[in-house]
C-alpha cells in the first residue's frame, strides 16, 4: 500500500463542507419539474373541496340553504358548522399572558362571521370545477352586525364587539417598563417623536396554501400532506382536536413553495379537510386560489406606534416610550396567539441600543380582517422602523451624523451579554463591527459627497442607515410567542446507517426554501465523517421523529444544526467502536472520514458498508454485545438561543416627477455567526431584503370601511418584481455564537432592516423639503401627497 | 366535451373528453400528470405556470386546453431531467437561482424564451424580460445571474 492513501490528522479535523458554498441537493428535482408540492400529490380517486367564504365583515348567520348544492352534479357532501359539530374539539390558542383572550379556532364559521373571506360552507365534489359550480347554488342569509375596519375604531366607545364573550375588542394588552421614562424624557436635551404606521401586509408565498388528505381505509388512518412550515405542531393540534392518535395521523410537509410565516399557523381548512376525509372515508384535496390565499391566510404587521425618544446633549439615547395599537384581525391564531406580532414590537423597540429607561405599552385589537400571524421578521420590521427613524430624528436635531449617533448608542463588544430596557438579553454579537463593515462596503463618506453634489443639482438623493438585533435559535427558556405553552425550544435529529451502509438523517424541521436538505447534510458529513452526497436528509414528516414543531423563527440552522452535530458525534462513537473490533485497533486511534473508519497513520480502513454488514448481517465478525444498532438520536435545546444582528445602508433617489423611489445602492453587513453555506446565506439575505423593499415601497393590504379587501389580486397587491430590486452587496461579520457549531439564525434579518433603511433614505432625500417619513409603504401616491403638502406649506410661509 | 390533440414535450396526446372550460394548466397537471407546471395566481400575473406554446412563452392559467388543439407545447419537464439538467437549469443550480422552487418552472420557461429571442446584452434587459414572473424567495439577483451566465455560454458557443 502506498503511503499517499494515509490520512493526515489535520485534514480529518478540518470541516470540509461547513463553510463551503455547496450546491443544493434540492435543486435538480425542483429545476426539472420533479418536485412534489402538496397539490402535486395524486391520491387514488380524490375528492375536491371548495369553500363558500363570507361576503360579510361581521354578521350573524341566519340561515344556510344547501339543498340545491347537494343535488348538483358531482357533489358528494355539503358541510356547514352544524354538520361537523360532533367531529372535533375547537383548538384554543392558549397563553399564560395576562390580559389575553384566546378566541377558539373552528373549521367553519359558526353562528356568526367575523371577516370577509372566512370559510362558511365546504363543498366536496368529484372535481374542483364541479365543487365551485355548487358554491353558486348555496344561499346564506346574513344579519349584518357592523364592520370594524380599523384598530382605532375597534377601541372607540360603542364599537360592536367581535367576540362578545371577550367583553372587549382588546384581545391582548401588555406593558414593559424600566426606569422612570417620564422623568428622563423631561430631562432630555432633545426629544423626538411621532406617530408611525406600518400598514398591513401579506407574506404572500408563491405557492398558495394547499392540503391533501390521503385516507387509509385499512386502518382508518389519515395522512395530511400540508404546505405547512409547522407540520409537527399541526400534527399535535389535529390529533387533539379530532381525537386521533399520532400513529393514525401522519402529517407531512413535502416540497413547500415558501411560507414567510403565512403557512406557519394551524388553519381552519386543515381541520376541515381532515374531518371531511374521515367522514367520507375518501382522500380529499384542496388548494387555495390566489383570492382565497390573500383573503384568508394570516396577514402581517398592521401597527400604529406613538413613540418618543430622549437624547442627552452628546447624542446618547436616555429614554424611549411607545404606545402601540396592533390591528390583529378577527382571531387569535394557533399556536402563536394574536400577541405574537404586536407584543414583539414592544419587546424589540429598544433594539441594539443602550437606552436607559423604557415604557412600551401595546394593545392588540380585534377587527374584521383575517388574523395577523407570523411574517418574516415578526414585530421587528416595525420596531426597527420606529427606533431607526427616532435615531435619525435625534441625529438631525443634534447635528450628529446618523452613523455616529448609532456608534455612540450601540452595545459595544465588551458590554455583552447586555440586557436591553425591555428585558431581552443580547449575547456577544458584532453590532459595531456590522456598522463599520456596512459603512465601508457602502462607501458611506463617498455617498455623502455624492449626495451633496446631487442636492446642488436639485436632485432628491438620500442615504439611510438601519441597525437591528434579533433573537434566533431560541431554546426552551424563552417562548417563541409570549406565554405559549408548547415547546419550541428543541429539535431532534435521528441519524441511521442501515444494512446497506446508507445514511439517513431524519429531522422535525420543515424547510420551505431554506435548503435544509443541503445544510444539515453538510453538518452531518463533517461531524459524522461521511461524504456529503451520501447523506439523505428527511424532514417535515411526523412519522420520522417522535416530536417536532417545524421551521420558523430563524431556528433550524441553530436547533436542527445543533441536533445534527450531537447525533453525528454519538453515531461516530458507535462506528469507532465497531471499527476497533474490525481493525483490531484502539477506538481512540480511529478517525472517521469520507465514509471510512481509518486507523490513524496506517492504511487500515473499513467503509460504512463493511461496518453495516458486520453489525447487521455477518453474524461471525463481531461479538454479540458489539452489534450496536448504527443509529443515534439527539434532541438539542440551546436553552437561551443566540443573537443575530446587521446594519443595512440604502441610497435612494426620489423622482420629483413620478414620485417613484429608485434604490441606487443597498448594502447589508450581518453577523449570523459561523456560515454553514455562504451561498444559501446570501440568498436568504437577498430574499429578505426584497421583501423589506416591498414593505417599504409597494405592499399594502387595503380594507375599506366596510371591511372589504380592495387589494385582493397580484395586480393590486404589488410585490417587487425583478426591475424593482437592486443587486445587493452582502458582507458577513462572522463571529461565532455560543451555541453548538457557533451558528446564528439568519432567515429573517433582511426583512427587518430593509424597511427602516429605505424609510431613512427617503426621509433623507426629502429632508430639503421638510418632509418626514412616518408610514410605510412610501408609495408614489403618498410621496406625491407629502410633496404637494410641502409645496403648499412653503407657499403659505412665503405669504406670511 | 371536446377532443384535444397536442404534442407535449415531444409526446403526442389525444384526449377525447376535455371540458371546454378546462384551463391548460389544469389539463397539463391533472390530465397529463405533468405537475412541474405550477399554478400561483390563476390570473396571469405571477408567471409560475409559464409554458412554451408553439415556441412562445404563454400563461397556461390564461389559456384553455381546447385552444391548444394541434399545438406543440413544452413544459419544464421537457427541458432536462434531474440527472441531466439543460444549460439554463444547470445555471440556476450553479448560481442559486431558486429557493423554494415554486416559481422556478415559470422562471426557467421564461428564461428559455428570452434566451432564444433576445440578445440580453445587459442585466436590465434580463430584469425587464423577467418582470412578468414573480419570485418571493430570491430577490431575483441570482436568477438574473443564472440567465446572464446562460446567455454568455450561448454567445460563446455561437462564436
Amino acid at each position: 500500500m502506498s503511503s499517499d492513501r494515509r490520512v493526515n490528522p489535520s485534514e480529518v479535523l478540518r470541516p470540509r463542507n461547513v463553510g463551503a458554498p455547496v450546491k443544493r441537493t434540492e435543486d435538480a428535482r425542483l429545476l426539472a419539474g420533479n418536485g412534489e408540492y402538496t397539490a402535486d400529490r395524486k391520491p387514488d380517486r380524490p375528492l375536491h373541496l371548495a369553500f363558500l367564504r363570507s361576503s360579510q365583515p361581521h354578521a350573524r348567520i341566519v340561515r344556510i340553504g344547501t339543498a340545491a348544492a347537494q343535488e348538483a352534479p358531482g357533489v358528494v357532501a355539503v358541510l356547514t358548522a352544524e354538520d361537523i359539530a360532533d367531529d372535533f374539539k375547537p383548538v384554543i390558542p392558549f397563553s399564560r399572558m395576562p390580559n389575553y383572550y384566546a378566541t377558539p379556532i373552528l373549521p367553519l364559521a359558526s353562528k356568526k362571521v367575523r371577516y370577509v373571506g372566512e370559510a362558511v360552507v365546504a363543498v366536496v365534489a368529484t372535481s374542483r370545477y364541479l365543487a365551485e359550480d355548487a358554491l353558486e347554488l348555496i344561499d346564506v342569509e346574513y344579519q349584518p352586525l357592523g364592520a370594524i375596519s380599523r384598530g382605532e375604531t375597534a377601541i372607540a366607545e360603542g364599537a360592536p364587539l367581535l367576540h362578545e364573550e371577550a367583553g372587549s375588542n382588546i384581545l391582548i394588552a401588555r406593558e414593559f417598563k424600566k426606569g422612570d421614562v417620564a422623568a428622563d424624557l423631561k430631562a432630555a436635551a432633545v426629544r423626538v417623536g411621532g406617530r408611525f404606521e406600518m400598514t398591513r401586509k401579506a407574506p404572500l408565498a408563491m405557492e398558495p396554501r394547499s392540503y391533501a388528505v390521503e385516507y387509509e381505509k385499512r386502518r382508518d388512518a389519515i395522512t395530511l400532506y400540508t404546505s405547512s412550515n409547522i407540520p409537527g405542531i399541526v400534527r399535535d393540534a389535529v390529533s387533539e382536536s379530532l381525537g386521533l392518535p399520532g400513529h393514525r395521523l401522519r402529517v407531512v410537509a413535502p416540497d413547500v413553495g415558501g411560507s414567510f410565516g403565512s403557512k406557519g399557523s394551524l388553519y381552519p381548512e386543515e381541520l376541515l379537510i381532515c374531518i371531511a376525509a374521515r367522514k367520507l372515508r375518501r382522500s380529499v384535496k384542496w388548494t387555495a386560489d390566489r383570492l382565497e390565499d390573500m383573503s384568508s391566510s394570516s396577514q402581517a404587521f398592521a401597527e400604529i406606534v406613538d413613540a418618543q425618544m430622549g437624547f442627552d446633549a452628546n447624542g446618547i439615547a436616555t429614554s424611549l416610550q411607545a404606545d402601540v395599537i396592533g390591528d390583529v384581525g378577527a382571531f387569535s391564531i394557533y399556536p402563536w396567539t394574536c400577541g405574537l406580532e404586536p407584543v414583539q414590537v414592544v419587546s424589540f423597540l429598544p433594539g441594539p441600543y443602550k437606552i436607559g429607561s423604557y415604557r412600551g405599552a401595546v394593545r392588540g385589537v380585534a377587527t374584521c380582517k383575517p388574523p395577523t400571524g407570523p411574517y418574516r421578521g415578526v414585530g421587528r420590521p416595525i420596531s426597527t422602523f420606529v427606533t431607526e427613524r427616532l435615531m435619525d430624528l435625534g441625529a438631525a436635531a443634534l447635528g450628529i451624523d446618523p452613523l455616529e449617533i448609532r456608534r455612540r448608542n450601540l452595545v459595544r463588544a465588551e458590554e455583552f451579554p447586555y440586557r436591553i430596557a425591555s428585558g431581552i438579553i443580547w449575547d456577544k454579537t458584532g453590532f459595531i463591527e456590522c456598522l463599520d463593515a456596512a459603512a465601508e462596503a457602502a462607501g458611506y463618506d463617498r455617498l455623502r459627497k455624492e449626495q451633496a453634489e446631487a442636492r446642488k443639482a436639485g436632485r432628491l438623493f438620500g442615504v439611510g442607515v438601519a441597525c437591528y438585533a434579533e433573537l434566533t435559535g431560541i431554546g426552551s427558556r424563552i417562548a417563541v410567542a409570549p406565554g405559549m405553552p408548547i415547546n419550541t425550544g428543541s429539535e431532534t435529529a435521528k441519524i441511521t446507517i442501515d444494512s446497506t451502509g446508507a445514511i439517513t438523517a431524519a429531522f422535525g424541521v420543515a424547510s420551505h426554501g431554506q435548503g435544509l436538505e443541503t445544510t444539515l447534510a453538510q453538518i452531518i458529513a463533517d461531524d459524522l465523517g461521511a461524504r456529503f452526497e451520501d447523506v439523505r436528509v428527511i424532514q417535515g414528516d411526523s412519522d420520522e421523529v417522535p416530536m417536532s414543531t417545524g421551521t420558523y423563527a430563524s431556528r433550524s440552522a441553530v436547533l436542527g444544526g445543533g441536533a445534527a452535530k450531537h447525533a453525528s458525534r454519538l453515531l461516530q462513537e458507535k462506528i469507532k467502536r465497531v471499527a476497533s473490533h474490525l481493525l483490531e485497533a484502539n477506538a481512540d486511534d480511529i478517525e472517521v472520514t469520507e465514509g471510512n473508519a481509518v486507523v490513524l497513520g496506517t492504511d487500515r480502513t473499513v467503509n460504512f458498508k463493511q461496518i453495516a454488514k458486520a453489525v447487521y448481517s455477518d453474524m461471525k465478525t463481531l461479538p454479540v454485545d458489539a452489534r450496536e444498532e448504527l443509529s443515534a438520536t439527539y434532541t438539542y435545546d440551546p436553552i437561551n438561543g443566540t443573537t443575530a444582528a446587521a446594519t443595512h445602508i440604502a441610497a435612494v433617489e426620489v423622482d420629483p416627477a413620478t414620485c417613484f423611489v429608485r434604490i441606487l445602492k443597498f448594502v447589508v453587513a450581518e453577523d449570523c455567526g459561523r456560515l454553514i453555506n455562504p451561498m444559501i446565506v446570501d440568498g436568504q439575505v437577498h430574499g429578505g431584503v426584497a421583501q423589506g423593499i416591498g414593505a417599504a415601497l409597494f405592499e399594502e393590504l387595503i380594507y375599506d370601511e366596510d371591511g372589504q379587501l380592495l387589494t385582493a389580486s397580484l395586480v393590486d397587491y404589488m410585490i417587487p418584481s425583478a426591475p424593482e430590486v437592486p443587486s445587493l452587496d452582502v458582507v458577513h461579520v462572522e463571529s461565532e455564537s455560543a451555541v453548538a457549531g457557533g451558528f446564528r439564525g439568519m432567515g429573517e434579518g433582511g426583512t427587518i432592516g430593509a424597511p427602516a433603511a429605505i424609510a431613512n433614505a427617503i426621509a433623507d432625500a426629502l429632508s430639503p423639503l421638510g418632509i418626514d417619513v412616518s408610514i410605510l409603504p412610501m408609495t408614489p401616491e403618498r410621496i406625491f401627497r407629502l410633496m404637494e403638502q410641502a409645496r403648499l406649506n412653503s407657499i403659505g410661509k412665503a405669504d406670511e | 366535451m371536446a377532443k384535444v390533440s397536442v404534442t407535449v414535450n415531444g409526446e403526442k396526446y389525444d384526449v377525447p373528453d376535455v371540458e371546454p372550460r378546462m384551463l391548460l394548466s389544469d389539463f397539463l397537471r391533472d390530465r397529463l400528470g405533468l405537475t412541474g407546471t405550477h399554478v400561483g395566481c390563476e390570473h396571469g400575473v405571477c408567471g409560475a405556470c409559464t409554458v412554451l406554446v408553439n415556441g412562445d412563452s404563454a400563461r397556461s392559467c390564461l389559456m384553455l386546453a381546447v385552444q391548444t388543439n394541434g399545438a406543440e407545447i413544452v413544459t419544464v419537464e421537457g427541458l432536462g431531467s434531474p440527472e441531466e439538467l439543460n444549460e439554463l437549469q444547470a445555471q440556476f443550480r450553479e448560481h442559486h437561482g431558486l429557493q423554494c422552487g415554486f416559481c422556478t418552472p415559470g422562471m426557467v420557461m421564461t428564461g428559455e424564451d428570452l434566451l432564444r429571442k433576445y440578445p440580453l446584452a445587459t442585466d436590465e434587459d434580463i430584469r425587464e424580460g423577467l418582470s412578468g414572473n414573480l419570485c418571493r424567495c430570491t430577490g431575483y439577483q441570482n436568477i438574473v445571474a443564472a440567465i446572464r451566465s446562460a446567455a454568455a455560454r450561448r454567445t460563446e458557443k455561437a462564436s
Side-chain angles (χ1 to χ4, degrees):
Chain A
M1 289 275 176
S2 66
S3 61
D4 62 11
R5 281 192 56 199
R6 288 184 188 170
V7 178
N8 176 339
S10 66
E11 270 176 36
V12 175
L13 298 172
R14 195 173 60 225
R16 290 153 191 267
N17 294 287
V18 169
V22 175
K23 303 297 174 222
R24 301 199 321 167
T25 311
E26 294 87 341
D27 288 354
R29 70 168 187 268
L30 298 178
L31 279 161
N34 283 244
E36 190 180 70
Y37 299 83
T38 297
D40 303 339
R41 294 288 308 173
K42 299 178 184 77
D44 180 39
R45 295 180 308 117
L47 297 173
H48 297 265
L49 261 176
F51 290 95
L52 182 72
R53 294 177 181 277
S54 173
S55 58
Q56 296 287 318
H58 186 202
R60 194 165 310 288
I61 301 169
V62 180
R63 192 185 60 83
I64 302 177
T66 61
Q70 309 255 17
E71 298 305 317
V75 169
V76 175
V78 180
L79 302 173
T80 65
E82 216 168 281
D83 300 315
I84 57 168
D86 298 331
D87 298 320
F88 71 97
K89 283 191 298 197
V91 178
I92 312 293
F94 183 76
S95 166
R96 291 182 295 268
M97 279 184 295
N99 308 312
Y100 165 65
Y101 179 78
T103 60
I105 291 164
L106 306 173
L108 293 169
S110 175
K111 297 190 179 74
K112 71 187 232 179
V113 291
R114 294 178 175 88
Y115 66 90
V116 174
E118 188 177 359
V120 181
V121 185
V123 172
V124 190
T126 51
S127 87
R128 177 67 174 256
Y129 285 72
L130 294 174
E132 289 189 20
D133 287 347
L135 294 182
E136 305 287 328
L137 304 173
I138 298 169
D139 171 34
V140 184
E141 191 185 322
Y142 291 111
Q143 179 196 349
L145 296 170
I148 307 163
S149 56
R150 287 182 295 124
E152 301 101 308
T153 50
I155 51 177
E157 196 79 28
L161 289 181
L162 214 50
H163 297 272
E164 287 88 353
E165 313 77 21
S168 164
N169 285 327
I170 300 172
L171 297 183
I172 171 79
R174 291 212 65 178
E175 189 171 48
F176 293 83
K177 262 195 219 172
K178 190 196 166 200
D180 190 344
V181 81
D184 290 348
L185 274 173
K186 203 171 164 203
V190 164
R191 281 176 298 278
V192 294
R195 179 185 184 275
F196 300 92
E197 181 173 358
M198 180 73 96
T199 57
R200 203 172 184 86
K201 316 286 183 193
L204 210 117
M206 293 319 301
E207 179 203 27
R209 284 194 290 124
S210 182
Y211 310 122
V213 174
E214 302 188 6
Y215 184 76
E216 205 183 318
K217 278 199 178 85
R218 196 163 58 95
R219 52 188 200 99
D220 187 25
I222 57 173
T223 299
L224 167 64
Y225 286 85
T226 170
S227 62
S228 177
N229 56 284
I230 53 159
I233 291 172
V234 169
R235 198 275 298 264
D236 291 359
V238 173
S239 167
E240 187 67 24
S241 177
L242 270 61
L244 202 56
H247 59 254
R248 280 167 56 213
L249 167 65
R250 179 177 168 209
V251 176
V252 181
D255 288 325
V256 175
S259 163
F260 316 108
S262 65
K263 296 166 179 169
S265 304
L266 176 79
Y267 279 96
E269 294 92 342
E270 274 172 314
L271 291 173
L272 190 279
I273 198 167
C274 291
I275 291 167
R278 295 197 73 210
K279 251 185 142 55
L280 301 168
R281 296 170 66 82
R282 289 282 295 273
S283 296
V284 186
K285 292 183 74 172
W286 174 74
T287 299
D289 63 27
R290 187 51 67 183
L291 171 63
E292 287 185 290
D293 202 61
M294 301 271 304
S295 58
S296 70
S297 292
S298 68
Q299 302 179 344
F301 306 157
E303 283 114 355
I304 294 168
V305 182
D306 267 303
Q308 292 82 42
M309 193 182 273
F311 293 86
D312 71 12
N314 294 321
I316 303 298
T318 57
S319 44
L320 170 64
Q321 75 166 352
D323 287 283
V324 179
I325 295 178
D327 166 358
V328 301
F331 291 95
S332 191
I333 51 155
Y334 187 89
W336 316 111
T337 82
C338 64
L340 175 73
E341 166 64 33
V343 173
Q344 198 122 302
V345 174
V346 285
S347 299
F348 284 89
L349 263 174
Y353 301 116
K354 300 173 285 180
I355 299 168
S357 59
Y358 177 58
R359 186 187 67 82
V362 59
R363 285 174 292 177
V365 298
T367 59
C368 299
K369 299 171 193 172
T372 57
Y375 175 36
R376 202 172 198 170
V378 184
R380 292 156 297 193
I382 180 147
S383 69
T384 304
F385 166 49
V386 172
T387 301
E388 293 303 298
R389 283 301 301 130
L390 293 171
M391 276 288 160
D392 268 18
L393 292 171
L398 287 155
I400 302 173
D401 183 85
L403 213 55
E404 178 56 27
I405 201 164
R406 287 172 171 82
R407 188 174 286 115
R408 291 183 195 177
N409 286 286
L410 285 169
V411 180
R412 310 192 70 85
E414 65 277 11
E415 294 168 325
F416 293 105
Y418 188 90
R419 182 190 288 269
I420 57 169
S422 59
I424 289 169
I425 298 169
W426 300 133
D427 66 358
K428 191 168 183 189
T429 318
F431 290 6
I432 300 267
E433 292 84 343
C434 286
L435 184 79
D436 290 341
E440 195 193 324
Y444 184 79
D445 296 336
R446 212 167 49 245
L447 280 176
R448 287 295 179 199
K449 284 195 191 100
E450 214 176 305
Q451 177 179 37
E453 293 299 315
R455 277 196 179 154
K456 269 187 222 154
R459 288 162 54 205
L460 301 171
F461 182 106
V463 181
V465 181
C467 303
Y468 71 83
E470 55 170 332
L471 276 181
T472 68
I474 296 170
S476 59
R477 195 164 288 166
I478 307 165
V480 161
M484 190 184 64
I486 67 168
N487 171 26
T488 51
S490 63
E491 272 300 335
T492 302
K494 181 181 182 190
I495 310 177
T496 306
I497 298 177
D498 66 22
S499 59
T500 70
I503 307 158
T504 305
F507 292 86
V509 296
S511 179
H512 38 288
Q514 295 89 340
L516 294 172
E517 283 174 49
T518 304
T519 45
L520 293 172
Q522 286 179 262
I523 294 169
I524 293 166
D526 283 349
D527 284 57
L528 180 62
R531 294 191 310 175
F532 167 77
E533 58 272 27
D534 290 343
V535 180
R536 180 191 175 207
V537 170
I538 299 177
Q539 36 133 23
D541 184 340
S542 70
D543 268 9
E544 294 293 335
V545 289
M547 183 271 176
S548 71
T549 54
T551 288
Y552 50 89
S554 301
R555 72 195 292 272
S556 294
V558 174
L559 277 79
K565 285 189 88 69
H566 285 284
S568 295
R569 293 284 179 196
L570 292 174
L571 183 53
Q572 195 189 56
E573 292 306 313
K574 286 190 176 181
I575 290 168
K576 282 184 181 176
R577 284 199 289 273
V578 175
S580 77
H581 281 281
L582 301 178
L583 298 169
E584 294 174 343
N586 193 320
D588 295 340
D589 295 335
I590 292 172
E591 289 292 347
V592 182
T593 181
E594 298 285 302
N596 296 298
V598 184
V599 182
L600 266 183
T602 75
D603 55 10
R604 279 148 57 207
T605 175
V606 283
N607 63 31
F608 285 5
K609 192 169 182 170
Q610 293 165 318
I611 290 170
K613 193 173 178 211
V615 170
Y616 296 120
S617 314
D618 179 4
M619 293 294 102
K620 292 197 245 1
T621 320
L622 290 174
V624 173
D625 59 1
R627 293 178 204 152
E628 289 181 273
E629 183 186 286
L630 297 171
S631 175
T633 302
Y634 192 90
T635 297
Y636 177 66
D637 178 350
I639 310 295
N640 286 314
T642 181
T643 308
T647 296
H648 291 209
I649 296 181
V652 307
E653 182 160 356
V654 180
D655 182 330
T658 64
C659 298
F660 268 90
V661 174
R662 200 154 69 93
I663 301 171
L664 307 169
K665 194 175 202 51
F666 202 103
V667 173
V668 177
E670 54 98 48
D671 181 2
C672 75
R674 189 176 193 185
L675 303 180
I676 299 169
N677 185 325
M679 177 188 83
I680 288 177
V681 170
D682 284 353
Q684 288 287 314
V685 175
H686 294 168
V689 168
Q691 288 180 350
I693 290 170
L697 298 179
F698 309 112
E699 297 179 33
E700 182 172 3
L701 287 168
I702 300 171
Y703 282 83
D704 70 10
E705 290 299 311
D706 297 322
Q708 296 288 342
L709 178 58
L710 304 181
T711 53
S713 77
L714 293 180
V715 181
D716 304 296
Y717 186 85
M718 286 212 308
I719 66 168
S721 67
E724 287 94 49
V725 184
S727 277
L728 314 179
D729 293 322
V730 185
V731 183
H732 304 290
V733 175
E734 227 176 322
S735 78
E736 288 203 4
S737 74
V739 303
F743 311 134
R744 303 177 192 273
M746 55 74 49
E748 298 174 88
T751 312
I752 299 174
I758 294 167
N760 279 345
I762 297 171
D764 189 39
L766 299 178
S767 62
L769 308 176
I771 291 173
D772 195 10
V773 172
S774 56
I775 181 168
L776 293 178
M778 286 302 278
T779 57
E781 187 188 339
R782 283 207 173 94
I783 291 176
F784 172 75
R785 286 176 195 278
L786 287 169
M787 287 173 70
E788 274 300 288
Q789 193 57 50
R791 197 174 58 85
L792 292 174
N793 291 350
S794 70
I795 292 169
K797 271 185 195 146
D799 288 348
E800 276 166 16
Chain B
M1 294 289 179
K3 182 183 167 188
V4 174
S5 299
V6 285
T7 303
V8 183
N9 303 332
E11 203 171 320
K12 187 116 175 49
Y13 295 87
D14 290 298
V15 185
D17 55 341
V18 180
E19 263 198 276
R21 64 174 173 170
M22 180 169 247
L23 300 177
L24 176 59
S25 51
D26 290 338
F27 177 76
L28 291 170
R29 290 177 51 80
D30 301 338
R31 297 303 297 271
L32 305 189
L34 295 167
T35 51
T37 298
H38 295 159
V39 179
C41 74
E42 291 181 284
H43 53 261
V45 180
C46 81
C49 67
T50 303
V51 297
L52 300 181
V53 178
N54 294 328
D56 292 320
S57 62
R59 306 278 152 120
S60 62
C61 78
L62 291 186
M63 277 187 94
L64 300 171
V66 293
Q67 288 176 284
T68 64
N69 195 30
E72 186 135 350
I73 296 172
V74 180
T75 70
V76 72
E77 288 98 334
L79 299 182
S81 64
E83 297 73 30
E84 203 167 337
L85 298 173
N86 87 350
E87 184 72 62
L88 180 59
Q89 290 168 320
Q91 292 311 309
F92 265 73
R93 181 165 197 260
E94 190 62 29
H95 292 274
H96 190 32
L98 67 156
Q99 290 181 27
C100 81
F102 195 79
C103 76
T104 307
M107 287 287 179
V108 171
M109 297 316 289
T110 299
E112 282 290 326
D113 196 36
L114 294 174
L115 284 166
R116 285 175 200 183
K117 290 180 182 163
Y118 304 102
L120 303 179
T122 66
D123 279 5
E124 283 63 41
D125 293 342
I126 296 171
R127 286 179 182 274
E128 199 54 43
L130 289 175
S131 62
N133 288 70
L134 298 176
C135 170
R136 195 60 157 164
C137 293
T138 63
Y140 304 100
Q141 189 160 336
N142 291 343
I143 295 176
V144 173
I147 295 176
R148 187 201 307 132
S149 175
R153 279 158 186 267
R154 177 193 59 182
T155 311
E156 268 168 38
K157 273 185 195 154
S159 59

